[in-house]
Amino acid sequence: MASPNPFLQFVPNRAESVLRRVRERIWYDRTPVPVTAAAPTREHRLLAEAKRDRHRAVAPGSAWGRLYDQRWFHVALPRSSRGDGPRWLEWRDQGEATLYVAGSPYYGFDVAHRYVALPDGVRECRVEGFCCQSAIWHPDATGLSPEGSVFGGAFLVRRDDEAWNAWHELRALFDLAMSVRSKQTPAPPTELARFGQQPLVDQATPLYRRILHLLDRALDAFDTDGIGALAGHLRAARAELVDARPEVRAVLTGHAHVDLVWLWPERMGEAKAVHTFATANRLIGLYPEFRFAYSQPASYRAVARRAPALAKAVRDHIERGAWEATGALDVESDTLLPCGEALARSFLLGQEEFVRLRGSRARLLWLPDVFGYSGCLPQLMRLSGVEWFFTTKLTWSAVNRFPYSSFVWRGTDGSEVVAHVTQNVGYNNRLELAELDANARGHAQSHVHAEFLHPTGYGDGGGGPTEEMCERARRLDGLAGTPALAWDQPEAFFARLATHRDALPVHQGECYLEYHRGTYTTHGALKAAFRGLERALQIREAVAVATGTAPDLTATWRRLVFAQFHDYIPGSSIAEVYAEGVPELERLARTEHEDAQASLAGDRSRSQGTLHAFNPLPLPWSGWVDLPDGRPARCLQLPPLSGVAVDEDVESPMAASVDARPRMLSNERLRAEFADDGTLRTLHIDGTPVALAGAAALPVLYPDRPANYDAWDIDRHSLALGVPLDTPVTWTTERPSPHRAALVATRPLGKAGTLCLRWELRGGEAVLRVTAEVDWREPHTLLRLHFPTAYRGRYARFGAPFGSALRVQQPGELLAEAQWEVPGSRWAAVCNDGERDGLALVTEAKYGFSARDGDLTVSLLRGARITGCDDHRYAAPPGLSRTQPPSPFSDQGRHVIRLALGRYSAAGPREIHPAALADTLFTTPIMYRGTPLAAGLLDIDGAPTLLPAWAAPLERRAWLLRLHEVSGDRGIAKLRLAAGWQARACALDGTPEGPARAEFVYEPYRIMSLRIERKR
């Protein structure tokens, strides 16, 4: 009898060889089946409609479709023989597809999901194919051919379940061996050597030698007694290697992150949701322990519309707990670019949908892939019933590692939520030991609680988890030195984590992502259209408040919220998304403006009445109003949310005269002097000089070639290479009226463009308006305006959706140096310590700023490669697209960018705070003929930093006033209301929460919601 094998170092190669041999036995009896198909269509149609189409035979190897086309296939199946076990359908196509059985989605086909067992007796099925790359995160993803999606054929196959199970048993132990091998000292090569000396095991750990010995015995059994003996030995070995007390536990949650738009337009994102839901539905039926979670009610609505039977199955799974609908928001929204009310509406709309889907509000905010997290988020979460927060994206930060995996996130106002961040891994995890080990190592709070969340599955059309992952989860659970594994829902994980709340570290303020800084600026025309719809909805709801109506604006709000998706408004999607989206946003804004105007005018008799000016803002408005019929403009002071007859004595005491001389503008409050090169040289406001430290509004061009992702990034090296614009300037003077004047500096920009800075001053105003009219023709270039000052306080202040953010502007600290481009919700200010004196920069629709050592800058435009015209072309070949942008670079063409400069003082009157100016400067009164209107709000006293931001109708006798504190102050606000009105605190949605009163305590950065109603 031969002696035992003394060379354990040969076992890994042997095991790898057997793995290949066993895998080859899993699928057998492969038979092609005939497939016919209709012609591809750009529009996505339901199966009932497509059944009427004419079908033709489809040959394997043929290519079809243009990007995002839908094509319906028909597969004829022969009658099955009894007793041969289930038949499996194998589908091969570059694109992704959804199998329909008996008219309903049954399974999603993609590069990660090629086979599915067919129900007994099925003689035909339909396949909804899409010319869109399948599972971009999968290692075997191929992209699309230049001719379209290549159809590889359909096949009936059989599965050898004995080989299937043995292969998974062997792979589990082989992977364990390779994982333990990688931790040996010295570490052997990652790849197994195919020849030459094998790494010795004489200095290996006992565990490694033990695993090799057990594998060797199992492989011997395979060679002598076959695959059944192999499986038996492997099961026994696995049982022997289970750790009775594993150090940590990985909570697996089935996950399939679907970008609603990105490398595809909205209709394709909807199709991906159907495809993914079908696969998850199938896995739940196959694996009782499997758990799946999905956010985004927008996707649930799309599935209900496109596949009602599948939507019902999902609801059944939600009721049983196998599927969790969670996430709180209607879409996984960007949290930096929307205004506060738009962000709040995503919570409100989302939670309404979660109540419909699951019977209760979601307790978890699920945002794995967002480009930064505003400090007002914890407060919005708590106001909408959310207690917990999850992301993976903070692990992408490039300079400073986020220090925690589990922590208490305290918002700028003090609101707290329990948060968990996966470190070292993302949200498309493959259930590999290397990924589990990385996540476990990154779990910095493992000594507090031994669980970490591990989202598992392929996203973006990869169908989420696979059968292989479910099998691996059964076999890798708690093997020696590895985490215990168990499927569970995210909210259950957080409920357990929350019991350790008092032992967790605290992080206060924003969670700034040190990456993807270009998303604050890319596609400026899109951001302007988005801001235009925000403003239109603000006006429309203000008119409803004043007229005592409550129109249903849900549909428009859903479209605005959809545009907040984190690859939409940041400008990181393909051209087709914006070719469809920007016109829609502009059309909706026009419609809401027209509806507001019509509501103000009322019936025909009212439309013939006196001319009125309506202030759609919940704070007083002062300024010049252009009148119709050639009448001279009037300077008006308008109460909040009021329509006042223009012919009445409502003229503002603001002086009308503006002095315009060569290189100088002045009124009784402001004087500005300019240099010949078009920059601002001096600025005096209310008799006090603004401490400029050099040429202000200096345009600087930067080479902008990010190392990785054009549309997403502004790299630090670019900002060291900026060149001030020094082209010759032509000056002109505009004097449309005695109360308004402008100096205009025009100059060439780059190789073919122009930059026109229009400096405008109006009578009585203490702000200097700046309009940049840009003909932008520059690829790979960033345009910034610099405003150097002597305001070198430790912090600069930036607008946020609600409140504001303080960020260090003094050089030196790594945390500060990593913030070379930061988000600002339409305003920023540099100041001295104490915030009593500084410079404020206000924008209409610009969001990218920086402040360093007194130099305040705003990013105007980028010439980044549009997504799809860059390295992502493998997934979206431009030759297949029906949408060809005029240029592969973003924002080429004409832009009108409106800004303003003013003095900054945190203690100044509310009306001159930059957060207020961001509304009042760019939202003008609406002229109408009719009768006076008023909503009951006169003003707010004693609260200079409490900003009334939005008015929304609740019902005919009540409306909602949203306020937020913007400078970190506290006090008592005294509400002045008209006779017959009262106010009381309310929830985010307007539900009353206390008695009526006239005084309200406000606190730093706190969002306040008041219900204003007529007394009964």
Side-chain angles (χ1 to χ4, degrees):
M1 182 176 179
S3 61
N5 177 17
F7 299 111
L8 290 178
Q9 63 264 39
F10 296 142
V11 173
N13 289 69
R14 184 186 179 195
E16 188 180 53
S17 172
V18 173
L19 268 174
R20 290 194 299 269
R21 291 162 55 195
V22 175
R23 187 179 184 89
E24 290 169 357
R25 294 176 53 172
I26 293 175
W27 301 105
Y28 69 99
D29 196 14
R30 191 169 186 255
T31 306
V33 291
V35 178
T36 62
T41 59
R42 181 187 183 279
E43 297 76 21
H44 292 186
R45 299 172 304 151
L46 300 182
L47 175 57
E49 180 183 355
K51 280 183 176 180
R52 298 190 293 266
D53 292 347
R54 184 178 179 183
H55 282 55
R56 290 188 171 88
V58 182
S62 60
W64 64 273
R66 304 188 72 176
L67 279 178
Y68 323 119
D69 280 0
Q70 179 200 57
R71 191 181 199 187
W72 283 99
F73 297 84
H74 177 269
V75 183
L77 301 171
R79 189 182 302 276
S80 60
S81 301
R82 294 185 180 275
D84 289 343
R87 297 186 300 173
W88 294 71
L89 179 64
E90 176 186 357
W91 184 263
R92 294 281 169 177
D93 194 279
Q94 274 187 313
E96 63 189 64
T98 302
L99 173 67
Y100 282 65
V101 174
S104 294
Y106 186 78
Y107 193 74
F109 287 123
D110 51 64
V111 68
H113 302 82
R114 293 295 193 195
Y115 306 89
V116 65
L118 294 171
D120 291 339
V122 173
R123 294 297 306 279
E124 66 168 4
C125 55
R126 306 272 179 167
V127 176
E128 184 183 19
F130 297 98
C131 186
C132 182
Q133 181 184 329
S134 160
I136 64 171
W137 303 107
H138 194 281
D140 296 333
T142 61
L144 297 171
S145 81
E147 291 76 35
S149 182
V150 177
F151 175 66
F155 309 87
L156 281 179
V157 296
R158 303 283 182 180
R159 192 179 81 179
D160 184 333
D161 286 343
E162 189 176 49
W164 166 264
N165 288 312
W167 184 82
H168 283 290
E169 293 287 358
L170 180 54
R171 189 185 169 202
L173 260 64
F174 175 75
D175 287 357
L176 176 65
M178 295 302 292
S179 176
V180 174
R181 179 179 188 265
S182 68
K183 299 179 178 66
Q184 302 304 300
T185 304
T190 303
E191 297 292 329
L192 295 177
R194 304 303 171 193
F195 56 86
Q197 186 179 22
Q198 300 295 320
L200 300 177
V201 297
D202 58 320
Q203 296 299 313
T205 62
L207 174 61
Y208 183 47
R209 287 196 293 266
R210 181 182 175 200
I211 296 170
L212 294 184
H213 172 67
L214 292 172
L215 272 173
D216 196 40
R217 289 174 54 191
L219 300 177
D220 287 345
F222 176 61
D223 285 342
T224 59
D225 299 311
I227 201 164
L230 170 67
H233 276 73
L234 290 170
R235 284 192 295 270
R238 178 162 55 84
E240 187 176 331
L241 289 168
V242 168
D243 192 338
R245 299 185 62 183
E247 292 291 330
V248 290
R249 180 173 182 259
V251 176
L252 309 179
T253 181
H255 183 233
H257 178 79
V258 174
D259 285 307
L260 304 183
V261 293
W262 177 31
L263 299 177
W264 42 82
E266 183 177 0
R267 64 185 183 278
M268 193 62 235
E270 292 184 350
K272 288 177 180 289
V274 175
H275 164 269
T276 299
F277 281 27
T279 301
N281 177 52
R282 175 69 179 151
L283 288 180
I284 289 173
L286 292 173
Y287 297 91
E289 73 277 17
F290 175 67
R291 296 292 180 266
F292 186 76
Y294 189 82
S295 60
Q296 306 196 113
S299 291
Y300 289 94
R301 291 194 299 273
V303 172
R305 188 175 66 254
R306 296 173 73 133
L310 176 60
K312 182 182 183 305
V314 169
R315 287 195 301 272
D316 292 342
H317 293 319
I318 292 172
E319 290 180 5
R320 293 190 301 102
W323 184 305
E324 186 165 82
T326 190
L329 297 170
D330 200 54
V331 304
E332 291 180 9
S333 173
D334 178 270
T335 74
L336 304 172
L337 302 176
C339 72
E341 190 63 27
L343 200 53
R345 297 300 176 96
S346 188
F347 276 99
L348 289 171
L349 289 172
Q351 290 290 48
E352 286 178 9
E353 290 292 286
F354 283 113
V355 169
R356 182 184 64 82
L357 285 165
R358 52 182 270 173
S360 63
R361 295 191 293 183
R363 301 174 69 186
L364 169 65
L365 178 58
W366 181 270
L367 286 178
D369 181 24
V370 177
F371 312 144
Y373 306 89
S374 172
C376 70
L377 269 185
Q379 183 178 186
L380 278 171
M381 292 164 63
R382 296 313 301 258
L383 289 173
S384 55
V386 180
E387 306 165 61
W388 311 313
F389 170 75
F390 173 76
T391 187
T392 70
K393 202 70 173 188
L394 286 174
T395 196
W396 286 45
S397 287
V399 178
N400 298 279
R401 179 182 174 86
F402 192 78
Y404 312 125
S405 57
S406 297
F407 59 101
V408 173
W409 184 14
R410 180 183 296 161
T412 49
D413 75 308
S415 297
E416 293 184 346
V417 295
V418 172
H420 185 68
V421 177
T422 57
Q423 298 278 14
N424 305 332
V425 298
Y427 48 86
N428 287 284
N429 298 310
R430 293 180 288 167
L431 200 51
E432 301 290 338
L433 283 178
E435 291 178 345
L436 290 165
D437 181 65
N439 203 347
R441 288 174 179 268
H443 182 26
Q445 275 62 55
S446 61
H447 59 289
V448 176
H449 71 112
E451 289 187 320
F452 59 87
L453 198 59
H454 196 76
T456 303
Y458 297 106
D460 287 329
T466 65
E467 288 90 333
E468 288 82 359
M469 291 175 182
C470 293
E471 295 286 349
R472 285 174 65 71
R474 288 177 169 179
R475 292 167 174 84
L476 293 178
D477 178 22
L479 290 182
T482 67
L485 306 179
W487 294 103
D488 206 352
Q489 299 295 14
E491 290 195 6
F493 165 82
F494 274 94
R496 294 189 296 271
L497 171 59
T499 64
H500 303 279
R501 179 191 189 109
D502 293 344
L504 296 176
V506 176
H507 173 84
Q508 180 156 350
E510 68 178 334
C511 291
Y512 174 83
L513 178 65
E514 296 175 355
Y515 209 45
H516 291 347
R517 302 167 182 86
T519 57
Y520 318 141
T521 303
T522 307
H523 282 296
L526 160 71
K527 291 172 171 62
F530 178 86
R531 176 60 194 151
L533 182 53
E534 283 184 329
R535 187 184 300 112
L537 279 165
Q538 184 179 32
I539 292 169
R540 180 71 182 93
E541 294 199 333
V543 168
V545 164
T547 56
T549 58
D552 184 1
L553 302 177
T554 303
T556 305
W557 271 112
R558 277 182 175 167
R559 296 312 297 162
L560 179 78
V561 165
F562 185 88
Q564 293 174 197
F565 181 75
H566 59 262
D567 271 311
Y568 192 142
I569 186 176
S572 48
S573 286
I574 57 169
E576 186 166 348
V577 171
Y578 305 124
E580 296 175 358
V582 173
E584 181 194 24
L585 296 174
E586 293 173 341
R587 174 182 57 79
L588 289 171
R590 288 193 300 271
T591 298
E592 296 304 335
H593 274 292
E594 292 167 0
D595 289 350
Q597 189 78 56
S599 183
L600 286 170
D603 57 31
R604 182 176 297 275
S605 61
R606 288 180 61 192
S607 67
Q608 304 302 317
T610 304
L611 183 66
H612 287 69
F614 177 75
N615 172 19
L617 299 174
L619 65 167
W621 187 93
S622 297
W624 292 90
V625 176
D626 293 323
L627 303 182
D629 307 324
R631 298 162 61 185
R634 295 199 63 184
C635 190
L636 305 179
Q637 279 190 324
L638 301 177
L641 303 168
S642 298
V644 179
V646 172
D647 292 336
E648 295 180 4
D649 187 19
V650 295
E651 185 162 350
S652 167
M654 295 165 61
S657 61
V658 173
D659 187 12
R661 304 178 185 178
R663 313 296 185 273
M664 191 273 287
L665 290 171
S666 67
N667 61 20
E668 80 283 7
R669 299 194 64 188
L670 185 149
R671 186 177 82 250
E673 298 178 356
F674 304 91
D676 290 343
D677 64 359
T679 59
L680 177 65
R681 188 174 63 184
T682 65
L683 179 64
H684 290 72
I685 299 178
D686 291 332
T688 301
V690 174
L692 299 178
L698 177 68
V700 179
L701 292 173
Y702 299 87
D704 188 14
R705 291 181 175 270
N708 295 314
Y709 305 112
D710 268 38
W712 285 263
D713 293 338
I714 294 174
D715 284 359
R716 178 61 180 86
H717 70 266
S718 295
L719 303 185
L721 304 175
V723 177
L725 197 62
D726 61 357
T727 52
V729 175
T730 301
W731 283 92
T732 57
T733 301
E734 295 179 357
R735 191 63 186 265
S737 69
H739 59 76
R740 186 180 301 175
L743 300 180
V744 184
T746 304
R747 66 202 307 171
L749 175 67
K751 297 179 180 178
T754 58
L755 170 62
C756 174
L757 286 183
R758 185 177 185 275
W759 301 91
E760 181 184 355
L761 185 60
R762 299 180 185 181
E765 289 191 345
V767 295
L768 181 62
R769 298 171 185 257
V770 191
T771 301
E773 299 179 11
V774 189
D775 186 11
W776 183 242
R777 307 291 175 185
E778 300 304 300
H780 289 308
T781 306
L782 167 67
L783 173 62
R784 280 173 142 193
L785 290 183
H786 282 250
F787 297 85
T789 75
Y791 300 117
R792 297 187 174 94
R794 177 165 176 77
Y795 296 101
R797 192 175 284 279
F798 300 85
F802 282 120
S804 61
L806 280 174
R807 301 185 180 107
V808 175
Q809 68 149 337
Q810 293 176 352
E813 297 180 19
L814 276 182
L815 283 171
E817 293 294 346
Q819 296 184 2
W820 58 79
E821 182 86 353
V822 297
S825 189
R826 297 174 289 126
W827 65 272
V830 286
C831 51
N832 293 326
D833 289 342
E835 296 191 82
R836 299 291 178 176
D837 187 28
L839 174 70
L841 172 61
V842 182
T843 79
E844 181 182 30
K846 289 296 167 185
Y847 302 89
F849 297 88
S850 74
R852 186 64 77 243
D853 207 21
D855 186 16
L856 178 62
T857 73
V858 58
S859 294
L860 298 187
L861 294 165
R862 300 185 66 212
R865 281 197 177 272
I866 298 171
T867 302
C869 300
D870 57 357
D871 291 342
H872 292 89
R873 66 178 60 232
Y874 68 92
L880 295 180
S881 176
R882 287 186 168 88
T883 302
Q884 298 297 335
S887 168
F889 300 96
S890 64
D891 282 322
Q892 304 300 291
R894 301 191 66 83
H895 300 265
V896 177
I897 301 167
R898 296 197 290 173
L899 318 167
L901 298 174
R903 282 194 65 199
Y904 174 71
S905 173
R910 181 191 308 114
E911 288 73 19
I912 67 168
H913 194 285
L917 293 174
D919 273 344
T920 58
L921 291 178
F922 307 114
T923 305
T924 56
I926 303 174
M927 308 306 295
Y928 71 98
R929 292 191 179 275
T931 58
L933 294 170
L937 176 65
L938 301 178
D939 206 348
I940 300 172
D941 298 329
T945 63
L946 183 63
L947 181 70
W950 203 280
L954 295 173
E955 53 204 52
R956 292 186 63 85
R957 298 177 58 88
W959 57 277
L960 175 72
L961 175 63
R962 193 90 70 208
L963 309 98
H964 60 126
E965 201 286 322
V966 293
S967 292
D969 204 355
R970 68 175 69 244
I972 298 177
K974 299 178 181 179
L975 208 64
R976 283 199 282 126
L977 300 176
W981 291 86
Q982 64 183 14
R984 48 181 170 163
C986 66
L988 202 66
D989 64 355
T991 303
E993 293 185 331
R997 59 182 192 269
E999 294 186 352
F1000 298 87
V1001 174
Y1002 68 94
E1003 298 178 356
Y1005 308 113
R1006 185 63 55 88
I1007 301 166
M1008 184 183 296
S1009 300
L1010 300 180
R1011 183 183 177 95
I1012 314 295
E1013 55 193 1
R1014 290 189 181 274
K1015 295 179 181 178
R1016 295 186 182 274

